[in-house]
Amino acid sequence: MLIALLSNPNSGRSKHLQTISQLVQDNAAITHFQASTTEQFTQFVEQLKQSPVDIVAINAGDGTIHALLTLMFAHLPEIPILAILKGGTTNMTGGDVGIQGHCVRGLKKLIEWGKDPQRITSTATRPVLKIDWDAPASPVCGMFFGTGAIIEGQDYFHSHVSKKGLRDSIGPALSALRLLFALNKKEQPLFSPVSMQLSGWNMNNPKNLAKQPTVQSSGKHLLAFASGLERLFLGIHPFWGANQGAWYFTAVRHQQQGYSLLKLLPLFRGKPREDMTSKQGFHSAKLNRLEIQFNGEFTVDGERYSTNSDNQLITVSLAGYVKFLQL
C-alpha cells in the first residue's frame, strides 16, 4: 500500500507539520511532500504520473485540494483514492469526505489502516465540478462554486472571523449568520445583488442543450452556488429537487421586499417552505451542466476568480468522479 502525503506549510494548521513529519519519517510506505505553490503542486502531480500510488493523502485545506484536483484531472489518466486530513482553516471538503478527527489524529488512523493486512477499504464517491470561462486560469476543478452573497460572506470571514483563530465550520457558520442578519435588516453595504442569467440542465450532452433547461433564471440574484459535496459547513445541505443530475445547485433571486430569517433558514436544511418556489426565485436541482452569464467575482473552494468582461459566460460541468477514503 503506497501512500503519497502532501502537506501545505501555508495551510491553517501548519503548526502541526513537524508532528506530521515525525509520524511518517520511519514509514517506508508513505512518501511525504511539502508544497504551497502552483509550481510545486505541478511537480507533485508529475511525480504521481511517473510513480503511481494507491492513496494520495492531502494534509491541507480546501484551496490546496482544489489546486490538486485541477492538476490531476488535467494530467493523470486515473485519479487515485484521496485521503483528506483536516489541515486547513475551513476544511469544508474534509468535513464531508475527510478522515474523521484532527489532522494528526487522522494521519495516525491512516498509518494504522495501511499497516493492517486485513484492512477494509471504505470510500465515498463524489462528483467534481469543472469550471470554464474565458481566462488563462481556465478551466479549474473543485468541490464548490459560488458567487453573489457567497463572496460577501467570504470577505466578512477573512476580515472579521479568521483572525480570531476559528477553524473548520465555526468561522463560515458565523459569517453566514452575520450575512443572514444583514439581509433581515436590509444592510445593503454588507451585500449587493448580482445581475446574472443562468440556465442549468440535468444532462451533459451538448446535443441536448437545446431542450428546455431544468433551471432557468435571470435578473438580480442574492446568490448562486454548486457543489459535489453532500454536506457543507456545519453539515448543512441547502439543496432540494428530485431530478437526476450529478451535482447540486441552488440559486436565490433578489427580492426587493427583503428577506425573513424564518424564510431563509429552511434553505439550509434543504427543506424549503411551500412558498419557496421557482416562481418566487428559489431554485435548486441536481445538474450536469450550468451556464451563468454575469460580471463579477466567484469562488471555487475558497479561491477567488473574476470575469474579464460584462456578461461573460461561465460553464460549470462534470469533471468526473473521485473516491475519498473513509476512516
Side-chain angles (χ1 to χ4, degrees):
M1 180 62 65
L2 298 178
I3 300 173
L5 168 64
L6 182 137
S7 295
N8 187 337
N10 294 335
S11 291
R13 287 196 168 114
S14 59
K15 65 179 181 180
H16 301 289
L17 187 54
Q18 184 176 355
T19 303
I20 296 288
S21 298
Q22 291 173 346
L23 284 172
V24 301
Q25 65 181 358
D26 295 325
N27 193 317
I30 301 179
T31 304
H32 190 198
F33 302 82
Q34 294 188 34
S36 59
T37 67
T38 300
E39 181 180 3
Q40 291 170 339
F41 293 149
T42 303
Q43 292 173 352
F44 173 72
V45 172
E46 183 60 30
Q47 179 68 26
L48 294 178
K49 187 176 181 179
Q50 299 298 324
S51 303
V53 297
D54 302 293
I55 303 288
V56 171
I58 303 174
N59 173 40
D62 296 328
T64 300
I65 298 170
H66 153 56
L68 291 176
L69 285 173
T70 299
L71 291 167
M72 286 179 179
F73 273 99
H75 300 290
L76 296 185
E78 184 176 354
I79 310 298
I81 296 175
L82 302 185
I84 306 301
L85 306 177
K86 298 176 184 178
T89 300
T90 54
N91 303 302
M92 189 159 67
T93 298
D96 183 48
V97 290
I99 295 177
Q100 294 183 5
H102 186 277
C103 59
V104 173
R105 190 181 310 156
L107 178 59
K108 290 179 179 178
K109 286 183 179 181
L110 179 61
I111 292 173
E112 291 304 312
W113 173 83
K115 291 179 179 179
D116 184 3
Q118 304 298 322
R119 58 181 171 267
I120 298 174
T121 303
S122 176
T123 61
T125 302
R126 295 288 185 270
V128 177
L129 309 178
K130 179 182 178 182
I131 298 92
D132 286 279
W133 75 108
D134 185 17
S138 175
V140 298
C141 298
M143 303 306 297
F144 180 88
F145 164 90
T147 189
I150 304 293
I151 298 298
E152 274 82 4
Q154 195 175 80
D155 286 340
Y156 184 84
F157 171 78
H158 287 297
S159 60
H160 294 85
V161 180
S162 63
K163 297 177 182 178
K164 301 181 185 299
L166 299 174
R167 295 290 183 265
D168 296 330
S169 295
I170 300 176
L174 290 176
S175 300
L177 285 173
R178 179 65 184 93
L179 185 63
L180 283 174
F181 280 114
L183 291 171
N184 193 49
K185 295 180 179 180
K186 299 182 182 180
E187 293 182 27
Q188 292 295 334
L190 191 61
F191 73 97
S192 55
V194 177
S195 294
M196 66 178 72
Q197 180 177 332
L198 58 89
S199 300
W201 294 265
N202 63 350
M203 71 281 289
N204 206 29
N205 188 344
K207 295 180 180 180
N208 294 326
L209 297 185
K211 296 181 179 180
Q212 182 68 24
T214 307
V215 173
Q216 194 165 26
S217 184
S218 62
K220 292 185 176 180
H221 288 72
L222 171 63
L223 51 75
F225 56 93
S227 183
L229 302 172
E230 290 291 333
R231 298 174 298 147
L232 306 184
F233 60 89
L234 289 181
I236 66 171
H237 183 84
F239 310 106
W240 59 96
N243 58 296
Q244 298 299 313
W247 39 263
Y248 296 103
F249 172 74
T250 293
V252 177
R253 205 163 54 234
H254 177 62
Q255 299 181 11
Q256 293 290 344
Q257 68 272 28
Y259 303 85
S260 163
L261 284 178
L262 292 177
K263 192 169 185 177
L264 287 176
L265 285 175
L267 183 149
F268 287 89
R269 297 185 291 113
K271 296 180 179 180
R273 294 174 15 160
E274 293 182 358
D275 58 347
M276 296 173 67
T277 64
S278 58
K279 290 184 178 180
Q280 297 298 320
F282 294 88
H283 303 274
S284 191
K286 294 194 75 173
L287 303 176
N288 276 58
R289 183 181 178 88
L290 173 71
E291 295 183 353
I292 303 181
Q293 286 183 293
F294 81 107
N295 183 30
E297 289 188 289
F298 60 94
T299 179
V300 180
D301 293 335
E303 299 299 311
R304 296 277 277 271
Y305 301 93
S306 61
T307 59
N308 299 319
S309 60
D310 290 341
N311 295 321
Q312 183 168 357
L313 177 64
I314 298 176
T315 301
V316 183
S317 59
L318 176 65
Y321 291 88
V322 170
K323 292 182 178 180
F324 295 88
L325 183 66
Q326 302 293 279
L327 296 176

